[in-house]
Amino acid sequence: MSITVDSINKRFGKYQALNNVSLDIPEGKLTALLGPSGSGKTTLLRIIAGLESSDSGRICFSGQDVTGLHVRDRNIGFVFQHYALFRHMTVAQNIAFGLDSLPRKQRPPKAEIQTRVNELLEMIQLPHLSQRFPAQLSGGQKQRVALARAIATRPKILLLDEPFGALDARVRKDLRRWLRSLHDEFHFTSIFVTHDQEEALELSDQVVVMSQGNVEQVNEPTELYARPGSRFVFDFLGQVNVLSGELQQGRLSQGNAWVTVPGSEHQGNAQLYLRPHEVQLASAPTAHAHLPLRIEAVSLIGSEVRVELRPEGWQNESTDTIWEVGISHSEFNHQRPARGDLRYAVPEIGHLFNGKDSQPETIDWASSESVPRMRLINNTSA
Ligand code: ATP
């Protein structure tokens, strides 16, 4: 079942929580609503669910207007951050709840409810805990039960509000994978709210980025990451290194820091955005970049080594500006960067913003003819 959000407005007193929001949520896909706290994600989810009314606009399910339909008639499954399980009911009773409380005519016979609960217990891999009460479960187990309860009535739409927000990192990752496979098996149309960009990019088919009651961008995760349409989206999708300066005749500079910008026609104020993996570290400047930085910290934890650096001698950078560059463990073993060392950032791909609110221009030094491609810059003897 597809969902259409058509020109939805919502005010709380003087605060415009949603500002003319329109969206298409495709059938059978997992869509993430991603944005900072207060951007309107939960309000939008609640309006789609029928738990909150909008001031104007329409919600349609597969083209049918459901704006005036009561929540119980929308056939939606919900999962909230704080499990909301019934404390006095066992796991099995919690899962059966939605079916037990259907009007008599729609309610399946007792034996069928029991069969369905058993199937769901198998699916969430908790049949051995069916007689426990919520207080006797871990957070991850509670959230599995909440999911089983949400889908017991076989809804076409599943709405999840920060479903893994209260869980620790490990359990969160496991449950993410599990939700993805569950989704692939049952093909619900799902929307989940999160402020965790990694979770949104990893789990969803489509990401809706929200900011201050507006939709900033809608895209598939890989497209969104490759082509953020605004500074806001860029900033929100993770760590980014920025060189702000004056662009004159193909060179962007700030104090002693500069980088050539092949192909850019723009003159004047500009900012170059570089992600940690789009930059290499060298011990000497190259022909296309002079970006001196001093190493502040080196972290070896994780699949790559994270090097934090502070601009050295750039004119306008505040003292708390930190650049982050990711290098492989083998590069680390080769170069042995250490706190206090001077290094030069060498951009490979960058994103240049020039006018206000403009789309960024992608600068690819690696494929530009004047600059040879270099992955590992081993000029430590220079
Ligand atoms: P979070 O990630 O913190 O949950 P969110 O993006 O889900 O944030 P919403 O909960 O949708 O944001 O809230 C959007 C704005 O509307 C916030 O500024 C919030 O304070 C306000 N708001 C939400 N519900 C109400 C309410 N019932 N009464 C008054 N203001 C509200």
Side-chain angles (χ1 to χ4, degrees):
M1 190 170 259
S2 65
I3 302 172
T4 309
V5 175
D6 180 12
S7 314
I8 291 286
N9 282 288
K10 179 70 184 177
R11 250 175 196 284
F12 291 111
K14 285 190 178 154
Y15 188 76
Q16 187 81 31
L18 292 174
N19 187 20
N20 210 30
V21 169
S22 292
L23 263 184
D24 285 317
I25 310 282
E27 175 166 356
K29 301 282 187 207
L30 190 50
T31 295
L33 296 183
L34 173 70
S37 186
S39 54
K41 309 178 295 291
T42 296
T43 304
L44 180 57
L45 198 77
R46 289 174 59 81
I47 288 174
I48 292 170
L51 291 165
E52 188 85 65
S53 60
S54 58
D55 299 335
S56 60
R58 292 185 322 149
I59 301 292
C60 299
F61 292 168
S62 289
Q64 192 198 341
D65 191 337
V66 296
T67 318
L69 212 59
H70 192 273
V71 53
R72 73 169 170 258
D73 299 320
R74 293 194 187 191
N75 192 19
I76 288 176
F78 299 104
V79 181
F80 300 102
Q81 178 175 355
H82 293 290
Y83 329 111
L85 296 177
F86 301 115
R87 287 147 50 131
H88 60 289
M89 289 185 188
T90 63
V91 164
Q93 287 165 340
N94 262 286
I95 296 174
F97 177 78
L99 294 164
D100 282 338
S101 41
L102 283 172
R104 190 186 288 261
K105 279 189 187 151
Q106 294 164 27
R107 196 185 315 150
K110 262 199 162 7
E112 196 182 319
I113 294 182
Q114 190 56 51
T115 309
R116 210 182 292 177
V117 168
N118 289 341
E119 282 167 9
L120 287 161
L121 281 164
E122 287 291 338
M123 188 196 78
I124 60 170
Q125 295 150 9
L126 296 177
H128 56 295
L129 302 183
S130 69
Q131 296 313 308
R132 287 221 184 147
F133 288 92
Q136 299 167 312
L137 301 176
S138 72
Q141 289 166 342
K142 280 185 209 168
Q143 212 51 330
R144 282 173 196 245
V145 176
L147 259 160
R149 192 180 61 173
I151 62 176
T153 55
R154 299 190 176 142
K156 294 266 189 296
I157 294 174
L158 186 60
L159 303 180
L160 308 109
D161 192 353
E162 298 265 3
F164 313 130
L167 305 173
D168 71 48
R170 185 69 193 264
V171 179
R172 240 180 128 110
K173 266 209 149 151
D174 285 350
L175 276 192
R176 260 190 231 168
R177 284 195 205 108
W178 182 76
L179 176 62
R180 181 73 250 182
S181 59
L182 183 79
H183 192 271
D184 290 344
E185 194 177 331
F186 289 91
H187 297 290
F188 308 109
T189 301
S190 308
I191 308 179
F192 78 101
V193 161
T194 181
H195 58 257
D196 178 339
Q197 77 277 2
E198 194 186 309
E199 186 162 285
L201 295 175
E202 191 182 307
L203 194 56
S204 62
D205 301 304
Q206 167 177 279
V207 183
V208 176
V209 184
M210 296 190 65
S211 156
Q212 298 184 330
N214 294 294
V215 171
E216 281 279 328
Q217 191 170 352
V218 183
N219 235 325
E220 290 170 15
T222 45
E223 266 300 294
L224 186 76
Y225 193 75
R227 271 173 273 284
S230 65
R231 288 166 218 257
F232 173 83
V233 176
F234 222 116
D235 281 334
F236 197 67
L237 290 184
Q239 169 69 29
V240 63
N241 305 307
V242 183
L243 172 69
S244 295
E246 273 293 301
L247 185 56
Q248 296 292 344
Q249 289 158 356
R251 179 188 273 211
L252 176 68
S253 45
Q254 184 207 117
N256 69 351
W258 57 260
V259 59
T260 59
V261 185
S264 179
E265 305 280 298
H266 181 73
Q267 306 283 324
N269 239 314
Q271 287 87 39
L272 182 66
Y273 279 49
L274 302 157
R275 294 216 178 86
H277 64 270
E278 294 168 338
V279 180
Q280 294 292 312
L281 288 181
S283 58
T286 65
H288 79 287
H290 181 273
L291 299 167
L293 299 137
R294 199 160 291 276
I295 297 177
E296 278 281 314
V298 179
S299 166
L300 284 137
I301 299 161
S303 55
E304 63 172 20
V305 177
R306 198 177 72 233
V307 186
E308 292 179 9
L309 310 103
R310 201 179 287 280
E312 175 99 346
W314 307 9
Q315 212 168 32
N316 306 328
E317 286 311 329
S318 70
T319 49
D320 56 1
T321 299
I322 292 285
W323 274 39
E324 206 175 290
V325 176
I327 63 172
S328 68
H329 283 267
S330 71
E331 275 175 276
F332 170 79
N333 289 328
H334 201 69
Q335 295 192 26
R336 288 277 156 191
R339 187 183 159 91
D341 289 353
L342 185 67
R343 285 287 189 279
Y344 292 83
V346 182
E348 292 194 321
I349 292 178
H351 312 267
L352 187 76
F353 287 94
N354 42 57
K356 193 168 173 279
D357 293 329
S358 62
Q359 293 259 330
E361 186 184 334
T362 301
I363 313 289
D364 185 350
W365 289 272
S367 68
S368 111
E369 278 177 21
S370 57
V371 183
R373 183 162 183 90
M374 43 192 143
R375 277 301 310 168
L376 187 85
I377 296 165
N378 181 23
N379 49 1
T380 41
S381 57

